[in-house]
């Protein structure tokens, strides 16, 4: 059952529609809050902060939009699940590298929050070349009663000042300010695909196709190169770095994945340059199933440590795998996301969809995982019961008083009433970016230029 909560225009160019719904699923009974953006803003990253009270999205236009969760009130007891626009700012602008005759687009590749230390919030955002540290702060008072200038800001004639005034703070409408505090540039030759904040909260790493750099948050003019897989002869290049992440508890440990489907765990205590890995994770390939597309679909698009730090999750084109850090030879769990597309790999190769990079995420207790698929489907897997479910994020299925039901894909034979044929899937509608609230069953799903937020069922 859907209940329309609010329709409002938060920005002149951005209509947002908010509503809450009941979602009847076996894994996550939840409601949905949909935020419809203008078509030009294709969402390129989604990230909750450490408390889950703020949700940041970045788009291809270089803009960051931050949503804040509404606090529950006596007058509106069901408003707790709503996320409203808190701040929006332009993070990156298009640039041009004149030495390489290369255009640097403004698209936000990744956003990572820093743990909150005071009243302000800090986040890192990056495009292909430049990483920026942003401070988001509130201001609800202004100073009045200056001696050297009038209230409108004009300077006063010093000879007409006869008395000394003490400035006072006066209340004003709440204003959220976003200001760049650090700019980390000129350290990556290739496109940045990952940034990850270290557990010491003082350093972070950034990765591009061939190198990984370690930065200190207070130092912008230099970084330490900790991984470099660039060969002396580029013709000998056989793989590239696709993702990297710091361990959630051990500040000396990080992992990075490659286009060959391998994951390397490195320990920065062993050497300054971590070209030699401490652990190497790879699943042996079945020779009987090898094809022309094997290497492409085995490329890892995302890697995420579990909150406990005991496991890590990787996403390739067709599946999600969970690895135990103590067992390198094979994953402990494998979940097929859209195995029915294996017979469609030729056409997916022709339309370049086979190169899509899907992300994955854990829930707060590491008991469930989520990732996206095509046709605006997203998949959720319960690790305890081994149940899985396919859901669809679409405006048509999120109408007031409608039920959002699990979806099934028919791979052959007679199609049932509620099933959709694999030939009817829309590959232009895809969910690449997902995020899970760190403490609650609240998930954010980016479907091209639409952001959907699902939450626990409201009674």
């Amino acid at each position: 059952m859907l209940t329309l909560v609010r329709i409002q225009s938060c920005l002149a160019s951005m209509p947002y529609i908010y509503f809450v719904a009941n979602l009847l699923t076996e894994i996550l009974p939840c409601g949905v809050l949909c935020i419809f953006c203008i078509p030009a803003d294709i969402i390129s990253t989604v990230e909750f902060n450490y408390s889950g009270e703020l949700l940041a999205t970045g788009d291809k236009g270089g803009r960051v939009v931050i949503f804040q969760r509404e606090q529950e009130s006596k007058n509106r007891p069901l408003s707790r699940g709503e996320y409203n626009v808190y701040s929006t700012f332009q993070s990156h602008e298009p640039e041009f590298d004149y030495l390489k005759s290369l255009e640097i687009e403004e698209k936000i590749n990744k956003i990572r929050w820093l743990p909150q230390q005071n009243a302000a919030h800090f986040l890192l955002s990056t495009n292909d070349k430049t990483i920026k540290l942003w401070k988001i702060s509130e201001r609800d008072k202004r100073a009045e009663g200056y001696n050297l200038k009038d209230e409108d800001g004009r300077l006063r004639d010093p000879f007409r000042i006869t008395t000394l005034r003490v400035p006072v703070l006066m209340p004003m409408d709440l204003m959220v300010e976003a200001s760049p505090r650090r700019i980390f540039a000129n350290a990556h030759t290739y496109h940045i695909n990952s940034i990850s904040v270290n557990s010491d909260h003082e350093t972070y790493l950034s990765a591009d196709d061939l190198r990984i750099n370690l930065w200190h948050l207070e130092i912008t003019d230099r970084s330490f190169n900790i991984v470099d897989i660039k060969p002396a002869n580029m013709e000998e290049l056989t793989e590239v770095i696709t993702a990297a992440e710091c361990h959630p508890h051990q500040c000396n440990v990080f992992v990075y994945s490659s286009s060959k489907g391998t994951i390397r765990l490195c320990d920065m205590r062993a050497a300054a340059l971590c070209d030699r890995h401490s652990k190497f994770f790879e699943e042996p390939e079945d020779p009987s199933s090898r094809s022309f597309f094997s290497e492409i679909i085995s490329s890892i698009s995302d890697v995420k440590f579990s909150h406990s730090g005991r496991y890590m999750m990787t996403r390739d084109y067709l599946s999600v795998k969970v690895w135990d850090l103590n067992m390198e030879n094979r994953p402990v769990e494998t979940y097929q996301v859209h195995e029915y597309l294996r017979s469609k790999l030729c056409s997916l190769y022709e339309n370049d969809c086979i190169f899509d990079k899907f992300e994955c995420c854990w829930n707060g207790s590491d008991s469930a995982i989520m990732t996206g698929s095509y046709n605006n489907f997203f998949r959720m897997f319960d690790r305890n019961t081994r149940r899985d479910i396919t859901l669809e994020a679409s405006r048509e299925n999120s109408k007031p008083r409608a039920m959002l039901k699990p979806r099934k894909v028919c791979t052959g034979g007679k199609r049932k009433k509620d099933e959709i044929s694999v030939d009817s899937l829309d590959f232009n509608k895809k969910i690449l970016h997902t995020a899970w609230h760190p403490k609650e069953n609240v998930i954010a799903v980016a479907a091209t230029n639409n952001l959907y937020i699902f939450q626990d069922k409201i009674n």
Side-chain angles (χ1 to χ4, degrees), residues 1 4 10 35 61 115 143 163 216 225 234 300 310 328 367 384 411 415 427 435 450 456:
M1 200 134 178
L4 186 62
C10 299
I35 305 166
T163 59
H216 194 284
N225 179 234
M234 285 296 285
I300 295 174
R310 171 68 185 274
E328 305 171 43
S367 62
N384 297 325
T411 57
R415 182 171 62 89
F427 295 105
N450 299 328
D456 271 339

Side-chain angles (χ1 to χ4, degrees), residues 260-261 282-295 297-298 316 321 323 329-331 334 336 339 342:
K260 276 193 169 182
E282 182 180 23
E283 184 177 22
E285 184 183 9
D286 184 4
S288 62
S289 62
R290 181 165 181 80
S291 68
F292 171 79
F293 306 105
S294 295
E295 188 169 334
I297 64 176
S298 66
D316 56 43
K321 298 174 182 177
W323 302 77
N329 59 341
R330 61 183 176 86
T334 300
Q336 300 300 330
E339 181 65 21
R342 189 176 292 274

Side-chain angles (χ1 to χ4, degrees), residues 132-358:
K132 295 183 181 182
L133 174 65
W134 290 89
K135 177 183 179 182
I136 296 92
S137 56
E138 297 181 353
R139 186 152 61 99
D140 59 358
K141 293 181 175 61
R142 68 174 184 269
E144 292 184 358
Y146 288 103
N147 289 283
L148 299 179
K149 62 182 181 180
D150 295 325
E151 302 302 331
D152 56 4
R154 292 181 298 178
L155 293 177
R156 300 174 64 189
D157 186 353
F159 297 102
R160 295 185 178 181
I161 300 176
T162 58
T163 59
L164 182 64
R165 296 186 297 182
V166 177
V168 294
L169 292 176
M170 300 295 293
M172 58 176 284
D173 293 336
L174 178 65
M175 182 170 60
V176 181
E177 298 177 319
S179 55
R181 303 310 299 268
R182 305 279 188 277
I183 297 179
F184 308 89
N186 305 319
H188 284 277
T189 306
Y190 306 97
H191 292 175
I192 299 172
N193 55 48
S194 301
I195 52 175
S196 179
V197 180
N198 212 335
S199 59
D200 59 12
H201 304 155
E202 293 183 352
T203 58
Y204 73 94
L205 62 82
S206 59
D208 62 25
D209 294 335
L210 299 178
R211 296 187 178 96
I212 300 178
N213 294 333
L214 181 68
W215 300 83
H216 194 284
L217 287 167
E218 299 295 331
I219 302 173
T220 62
D221 58 352
R222 63 184 181 274
S223 62
F224 298 95
N225 179 234
I226 55 177
V227 173
D228 189 346
I229 66 170
K230 182 181 179 181
N233 182 4
M234 285 296 285
E235 294 182 356
E236 300 174 359
L237 182 66
T238 59
E239 62 180 340
V240 295
I241 298 170
T242 56
E245 184 169 77
C246 297
H247 193 278
H249 306 301
Q250 302 174 26
C251 62
N252 52 284
V253 175
F254 68 95
V255 295
Y256 68 93
S257 58
S258 80
S259 57
K260 276 193 169 182
T262 61
I263 310 102
R264 293 171 173 84
L265 185 143
C266 302
D267 191 336
M268 287 184 280
R269 296 174 300 183
L273 187 62
C274 300
D275 284 346
R276 294 185 178 180
H277 50 265
S278 300
K279 292 187 177 183
F280 183 78
F281 300 85
E282 182 180 23
E283 184 177 22
E285 184 183 9
D286 184 4
S288 62
S289 62
R290 181 165 181 80
S291 68
F292 171 79
F293 306 105
S294 295
E295 188 169 334
I296 300 176
I297 64 176
S298 66
S299 175
I300 295 174
S301 57
D302 195 17
V303 58
K304 293 282 177 61
F305 277 110
S306 63
H307 295 87
S308 65
R310 171 68 185 274
Y311 303 95
M312 66 178 175
M313 172 172 52
T314 60
R315 171 69 204 265
D316 56 43
Y317 188 68
L318 294 179
S319 64
V320 172
K321 298 174 182 177
V322 177
W323 302 77
D324 189 324
L325 295 188
N326 297 323
M327 188 168 72
E328 305 171 43
N329 59 341
R330 61 183 176 86
V332 293
E333 301 165 23
T334 300
Y335 302 96
Q336 300 300 330
V337 179
H338 39 219
E339 181 65 21
Y340 47 79
L341 294 181
R342 189 176 292 274
S343 61
K344 304 287 184 182
L345 292 179
C346 186
S347 58
L348 291 169
Y349 178 78
E350 292 176 354
N351 61 19
D352 286 341
C353 285
I354 199 171
F355 301 106
D356 287 334
K357 300 182 183 300
F358 293 93

